[in-house]
Amino acid sequence: MKKQMITAVLALTALALPATASAHEGPPVDVFTDTFKGSAVLPFEGPCGGGPGTVSVQFNDVFHVTAFEDGHLNVVGNQTGTFEFEPNDPTEQSSSGRYRQAFREGVGQNGVQFRNTFTANGRFEDGSKLKFTVKSTFVVSNGEVRVDRFEVGC
């Protein structure tokens, strides 16, 4: 259940946002902060077990963007929100709680680097705790995707 949500959130992050690049010559040519609120309903399967289902999220995003004259772009952001998960199997428990995603993206002449940490805390219907963290780093360069890190903590 959570695995599909994480995959969807990571994919949305990769498409919607640019994270960290190395130092550049000269000062930034543009710096701004943007915020966004939204909601989504996604198919989801958790990274720590459980079956597939649907997750509904309400979220708030904050993006800090810095652009440099040489074309490099840094984006740092945070997304916080709430989730409600409903499993496809009625014998499995629903869950709800809060999540946070911190991400950094660097866009440069040699490609794009994405770094992401996603943490969810909540409770199942019976009151038992739900917690997991996913950390990932991947690079897109010369038309290839390289996964440098993908860790799941349950």
Side-chain angles (χ1 to χ4, degrees):
M1 77 184 163
K2 296 166 195 86
K3 188 175 189 178
Q4 287 177 342
M5 179 178 158
I6 292 166
T7 301
V9 170
L10 291 175
L12 290 172
T13 300
L15 293 173
L17 313 170
T20 324
S22 56
H24 308 286
E25 293 182 27
V29 294
D30 194 12
V31 177
F32 68 90
T33 299
D34 197 8
T35 60
F36 177 76
K37 293 182 180 191
S39 62
V41 177
L42 306 163
F44 187 68
E45 187 169 340
C48 303
T54 303
V55 67
S56 301
V57 294
Q58 300 283 329
F59 58 87
N60 297 303
D61 289 336
V62 178
F63 304 99
H64 303 284
V65 180
T66 305
F68 295 88
E69 190 172 301
D70 65 0
H72 285 83
L73 182 67
N74 292 336
V75 177
V76 178
N78 284 288
Q79 182 179 85
T80 58
T82 58
F83 70 88
E84 292 183 6
F85 174 75
E86 193 62 43
N88 291 345
D89 182 347
T91 65
E92 292 190 17
Q93 295 188 69
S94 298
S95 59
S96 62
R98 303 188 67 72
Y99 74 92
R100 178 177 184 267
Q101 176 175 255
F103 47 85
R104 300 176 68 84
E105 184 174 321
V107 179
Q109 295 171 345
N110 296 324
V112 181
Q113 180 186 52
F114 303 94
R115 296 187 322 188
N116 186 66
T117 301
F118 182 93
T119 303
N121 290 287
R123 295 208 177 263
F124 290 101
E125 287 179 276
D126 68 1
S128 61
K129 289 183 181 181
L130 162 74
K131 181 175 183 174
F132 67 92
T133 300
V134 177
K135 296 180 181 181
S136 63
T137 301
F138 64 97
V139 176
V140 179
S141 181
N142 299 320
E144 295 182 15
V145 177
R146 182 183 77 231
V147 178
D148 290 343
R149 176 183 183 190
F150 189 81
E151 299 173 10
V152 177
C154 299

